[in-house]
Amino acid sequence: MYRKNAWNALAEGEKAKLEAFSQKYKAYLDAGKTERECVTESVRQAKEAGFEDLNAVLKAGRQLKAGDRIYCNWMNKCFLAWVIGENDIERGMNILGAHIDSPRIDIKQNPLFENSGFAYLDTHYYGGIKKYQWVASPLALHGVVCKKDGTTLTIAIGEEENDPVFYISDLLIHLAGDQMSKTAAKVIEGDALDIIIGSEPLNGEEKDPVKAQVLSILKDKYGIEEEDFISAELEAVPAGKCRDVGFDRALIAGYGHDDRVCAYPSMAAVMDYEGTPAYTVCAVLTDKEEIGSVGATGMNAMYFENIMAEIVANLKGNDSPLSLRRCLANSRMLSSDVSAGYDPNFAGVFEKNNASIVGYGVTFNKFTGSRGKGGSNDCNAEFVAQVRRICDEADIAWQTAELGKVDVGGGGTIAYVCAKYGMNVIDCGVPVLSMHAPWEAISKVDLWNEYKCYCAFIREAKEFVY
Ligand code: MN
Ligand code: MN
């Protein structure tokens, strides 16, 4: 099948819009290096765009109506936004769903120790990472420290030019004979991901003086005691802002494109919606996708269903469970998640006719999974036909792909979770180079076509009548 480079398909004047959107995305990516920071930034932007807090609406007992713009913050780790449509909510919504957690290195609950003049934080990595990629590189610490008195301290250290950064050491090449002969999985092992956070002893202290020095700084500067790490969520992430790549600045290298490169355009498509849609449009930015969509903030949790139950009950004026089920079953969804960008350096793992080519537009994955489509949501062909038509009518550069060669590997997304309600769901995102590496890369033209696709989808997708 013929595909063309999306840069060649831009209309007159479109490149300036593409660049402007890329700048907004880059600002979001820099503001949101954790799921919590993404929620904080999303709530800020929602308020600025005139969206009302769903909880305030419900508390006031106000009846929702077509055209209302609402948002919801779930446990500071998930964000949802809607524009209420004209049609009966039982006819379903047009949903964009992405995740805002990214692979990283989490700090353990009892993390602080001293060894040979260094103070360290002990860690447990989160999500699928090549551990050797995270050493010998500046790291920032982001997260919260929740104290017994009920207060929460928000932390982000290592992003400002004058901030210190944190560091995991690697073995010098001169002594790495044994290490270099190990497999990549064993070069750096999980328990070796100890982060250096200090190396100056506290004057006069005899027992663990370096650790004591760090603790005294934490106490003075942040009011944190060692015990407070127990109720903290701290994430070590690559330090620094995302950057344009190439003389032409056509790519963006940054931390956490997976999946904020889908989360931001999903949110923006709903917030930028003008007027009142036919069907209610919804963006859901969820957590814990990288570890199996588990927990109270993962897509497998009840929060989406519960929040929708509140909205459906409000709109219908009754709390019939059947209305909620009809709403969910009749919905259409893009599970907005990234694809493996075809990489000529590693051509052997791809089947090029069914690979996502960087610069060739937004990518649909009919199925994900691995080794015989295991664990995938294999979307109905009828729905694939609908999204094809929507994209073509809106002049969107799009392509279809699967994750690598058939028996090489695979991956999953939130698609199967939402599909269990009976809704039509297809995976739709952009190709990413070096997925799950500290610095991933995406193309601005793919991002732009993705945003246009999401806008067209929530405007045009329609229910199936079987
Ligand atoms: Mn993802
Ligand atoms: Mn991922």
Side-chain angles (χ1 to χ4, degrees):
M1 261 176 286
Y2 177 71
R3 289 189 276 190
K4 69 176 177 185
N5 194 304
W7 289 105
N8 296 329
L10 292 174
E12 186 77 24
E14 208 178 345
K15 206 167 168 182
K17 291 187 202 166
L18 171 159
E19 187 55 34
F21 189 77
S22 296
Q23 293 306 324
K24 288 197 279 184
Y25 169 57
K26 286 169 66 182
Y28 184 85
L29 199 58
D30 290 336
K33 286 197 156 185
T34 66
E35 58 280 29
R36 286 176 184 269
E37 289 175 352
C38 286
V39 169
T40 302
E41 176 62 14
S42 298
V43 167
R44 189 191 71 74
Q45 293 194 19
K47 285 182 180 163
E48 202 176 272
F51 281 62
E52 267 185 280
D53 185 348
L54 173 66
N55 289 321
V57 172
L58 295 176
K59 215 169 174 184
R62 190 164 74 66
Q63 168 89 49
L64 291 167
K65 58 178 193 317
D68 280 355
R69 298 153 73 82
I70 48 178
Y71 76 88
C72 182
N73 163 359
W74 174 247
M75 290 180 88
N76 299 323
K77 293 180 178 178
C78 302
F79 172 85
L80 305 95
W82 301 260
V83 181
I84 304 296
E86 300 277 6
N87 293 335
D88 188 336
I89 192 76
E90 288 188 12
R91 294 174 63 187
M93 301 178 287
N94 293 340
I95 306 170
L96 302 167
H99 66 93
I100 45 178
D101 61 318
S102 295
R104 61 189 188 239
I105 299 177
D106 282 348
I107 310 307
K108 285 186 181 180
Q109 269 14 85
N110 182 17
L112 256 177
F113 69 96
E114 175 166 344
N115 191 349
S116 311
F118 296 106
Y120 291 99
L121 286 179
D122 215 332
T123 66
H124 194 139
Y125 63 95
Y126 173 98
I129 62 168
K130 290 177 167 179
K131 285 161 284 217
Y132 66 80
Q133 292 178 332
W134 292 72
V135 298
S137 190
L139 298 170
L141 276 180
H142 291 243
V144 293
V145 180
C146 298
K147 306 232 222 162
K148 279 202 290 188
D149 64 6
T151 58
T152 293
L153 210 80
T154 304
I155 303 258
I157 309 164
E159 301 295 350
E160 301 301 324
E161 213 176 331
N162 291 320
D163 279 358
V165 294
F166 307 93
Y167 190 79
I168 302 171
S169 60
D170 194 3
L171 182 57
L172 63 166
I173 184 69
H174 316 69
L175 299 179
D178 278 353
Q179 186 197 37
M180 296 298 279
S181 67
K182 288 182 183 172
T183 59
K186 298 273 181 190
V187 164
I188 300 287
E189 298 199 60
D191 259 305
L193 291 175
D194 297 328
I195 304 177
I196 295 176
I197 56 164
S199 55
E200 181 188 334
L202 186 67
N203 219 340
E205 186 75 25
E206 284 186 12
K207 190 180 176 298
D208 292 344
V210 179
K211 177 180 156 183
Q213 173 82 316
V214 166
L215 278 172
S216 103
I217 294 168
L218 288 177
K219 172 106 181 137
D220 289 352
K221 244 187 139 166
Y222 307 100
I224 302 172
E225 313 264 4
E226 186 170 7
E227 297 270 303
D228 291 330
F229 279 101
I230 292 171
S231 49
E233 285 176 356
L234 296 171
E235 308 177 9
V237 298
K241 293 185 190 322
C242 59
R243 309 283 293 264
D244 289 347
V245 175
F247 290 112
D248 55 11
R249 313 182 80 99
L251 305 180
I252 302 167
Y255 165 66
H257 284 311
D258 177 10
D259 185 31
R260 292 150 193 160
V261 73
C262 298
Y264 177 71
S266 295
M267 177 187 94
V270 169
M271 286 191 195
D272 294 347
Y273 199 99
E274 286 178 12
T276 304
Y279 296 96
T280 294
V281 302
C282 169
V284 48
L285 310 188
T286 194
D287 180 31
K288 298 283 186 281
E289 191 276 344
E290 295 294 357
I291 58 168
S293 297
V294 291
T297 52
M299 206 64 217
N300 271 309
M302 293 292 287
Y303 78 87
F304 182 62
E305 198 178 319
N306 289 347
I307 293 168
M308 283 315 305
E310 296 280 2
I311 292 178
V312 170
N314 179 294
L315 285 166
K316 300 291 288 184
N318 67 64
D319 61 355
S320 157
L322 195 54
S323 293
L324 171 67
R325 288 186 195 204
R326 284 176 178 156
C327 165
L328 294 172
N330 287 327
S331 288
R332 291 72 46 185
M333 178 178 187
L334 298 184
S335 160
S336 320
D337 209 341
V338 293
S339 285
Y342 176 80
D343 188 336
N345 280 346
F346 302 98
V349 300
F350 296 95
E351 188 267 287
K352 204 171 179 182
N353 283 335
N354 290 284
S356 177
I357 314 286
V358 174
Y360 281 62
V362 64
T363 303
F364 291 95
N365 287 65
K366 184 176 183 297
F367 53 86
T368 57
S370 56
R371 295 175 186 85
K373 299 190 177 181
S376 87
N377 158 57
D378 199 349
C379 155
N380 261 17
E382 288 87 341
F383 187 47
V384 182
Q386 186 182 130
V387 296
R388 265 178 73 193
R389 179 184 55 74
I390 291 169
C391 285
D392 284 344
E393 285 176 3
D395 282 326
I396 286 151
W398 61 275
Q399 51 185 329
T400 61
E402 56 181 273
L403 189 55
K405 272 188 178 166
V406 174
D407 277 332
V408 170
T413 64
I414 61 167
Y416 79 95
V417 183
C418 302
K420 78 180 174 206
Y421 293 114
M423 65 176 77
N424 276 284
V425 187
I426 188 167
D427 280 297
C428 177
V430 300
V432 174
L433 291 181
S434 319
M435 196 191 295
H436 286 204
W439 297 92
E440 306 170 314
I442 59 105
S443 166
K444 290 178 180 175
V445 81
D446 297 332
L447 169 68
W448 174 242
N449 278 284
E450 179 191 35
Y451 170 67
K452 287 202 318 183
C453 167
Y454 292 174
C455 291
F457 175 81
I458 57 173
R459 195 172 58 239
E460 304 294 341
K462 292 190 173 53
E463 74 200 286
F464 284 89
V465 180
Y466 296 102

